[in-house]
Amino acid sequence: MSQIEDPRLTALKEMRKLAESGGGAARIDRQHAKGRMTARERLAELLDTDSFHEVQPFTVAHPDEEDAILGDGVVTGYGTIDGRKVLVYAQDFTVYGGSVSLAHARKIVQVQEMALHNGFPIIGLLDSGGARIQEGVMSLQGYGEVFRHNALTSGVVPQISVILGPCAGGASYSPALTDFVVMTDKSSMMFITGPDVVKSVTGEEIDHEGLGGARVHASISGVAHFVGEDEAHALALVRQLLTYLPPNNVTAAPTVAPSDDPSRTASALDKLIPEAPNEPYDMYDVILAVMDRGSWFEVQASWAQNAIVGFARLNGRAIGVVAQQPLVLAGAIDIDASDKIARFVRFCDAFNLPLITLADSPGFLPGVGQEHSGIIRHGAKIIYAYVEATVPKISIVTRKGYGGAYIVMGSKSLGADVHLAWPTAEIAVMGPDGAVSVLNRRELAEAEDPEALRAELVARYREIHATPYYSARRGVLDNVIEPARTRPELIAALETLQEQTRSVPPKKHGLMPV
Ligand code: HXC
């Protein structure tokens, strides 16, 4: 038997080695010098060991060009994360700056189609100089095809974008169409027009980081959902996120073996709500006490912090949590909080994650800026999202539930399956002060001691209206529960509501107020 390898096998190995060398050693060194990994290193970090299978490693944009670099600047294929199948693409900055030709785009489209048709999540690792300048309109055609598949895939399988370098111009619209955007701190940037164009058009001077760095998008614009301290952390966040998500919209959200006692009570919650109605408390104390220990995974933690959204588990079952944070703007709902809540509710509904709502809001945020920027239009999104949601919906009013803010936060009128309150809940058309000002304006104006009269009227209003029993007696609440028993109550409700048969009326699609 000859020991000489079949030359065809040798040729394959050489081709593969060439493809895997990307833009060559010098460019790989430059990439490393920026603190960034190569596309293949990133995939190795993201996926289970040795699970990656590449497709189209030898594709080039122009097969006649002798020096064309194999792969055309994007590595695509499939692999597993914690044993669960995912489709992936990773732009390779060492090849033409990761810029997008038609061939590059079509490689991405191929894995998008594989994700869509086979029902597995797709993760894109973006690091690109944008449209390949030499390709002209054919690059734009390619981008458009990627966007089209982002939109078609939306709501069928989870789509996650990880921004690990530049992502500028129209290119930003692909991640914007996906469900989650992860960025790396001080190493990634996203903007529609860069600092130079901004300066020439508006005169504003700002650097890349200040215009579209990770912190900006995580805390000001709301474009980014998670920020990794570095690339490895960003990719670890993706792995963690996937543990809460089903692979597609026709599969139940994943469950894990319960790690926490389902009947565990939390006595601290019985004393959490301060006596004084305007004294705040921390809603994270509620979330952490109620959910399975160690399961809380917050989304958009730094943006619109008056609202809290995130994933958790209850007795091992993945759920979505929506809450107010009384420590920020007293939990009032503003435009950004509306967008944050509505988007998250729709995501949970699309991917079969039951919704737990912890409501405590004094109302929508007053202000000329809010009104003129369309708080009416934005706030309406929350209603739309909750009503459309067919997943199990359980809501608890912990303290304030006033006016429209009460209705929108997953109330029974919007279709909550189980609507509960703590004994500290105050549910009414408006807060006592506002109500007394409207109802008793004349008496107060004529009173000898208006302040004393106001205090008396407020106390009387509070006794009648600002309690959960006014609502419970009228069947609007399903029950009033001891705060300490919130966890077992939620788990019991959730386990009763597993199978949902509710559906929305047939239509082409609704007209969500965007
Ligand atoms: C072709 C590109 C490229 C591009 C970078 N390269 N961007 N090639 N088309 N868009 C190539 C460079 O020529 C270089 O090739 C290699 O990639 C690395 O680029 P450098 O400039 O050396 O890297 P760096 O200094 O890190 O700067 C990165 C950068 C810069 C900031 C991204 O390259 C840049 O400004 N590129 C152009 C960005 C841009 O204007 N793109 C078009 C945006 S409009 P060599 O051979 O030297 O390694 C757009 C519209 C999309 O994208 C619309 C979609 C709807």
Side-chain angles (χ1 to χ4, degrees), residues 27 34 93 96-97 99 129-134 140 143 147 166 168 170-171:
R27 291 191 183 93
K34 289 181 209 157
F93 194 83
Y96 314 125
S99 61
R132 182 137 349 136
I133 295 163
Q134 305 87 318
L140 304 183
Y143 263 119
F147 299 167

Side-chain angles (χ1 to χ4, degrees), residues 391-415:
V391 290
K393 294 181 277 196
I394 307 169
S395 48
I396 303 186
V397 183
T398 57
R399 185 160 67 176
K400 290 177 189 165
Y402 286 127
Y406 161 71
I407 300 173
V408 305
M409 285 300 288
S411 65
K412 201 163 184 71
S413 57
L414 297 194

Side-chain angles (χ1 to χ4, degrees), residues 292-315:
D292 289 0
R293 282 202 182 93
S295 74
W296 173 237
F297 185 62
E298 189 165 2
V299 176
Q300 290 179 315
S302 306
W303 180 61
Q305 291 176 315
N306 40 335
I308 300 172
V309 301
F311 301 107
R313 292 192 182 85
L314 273 174
N315 206 22

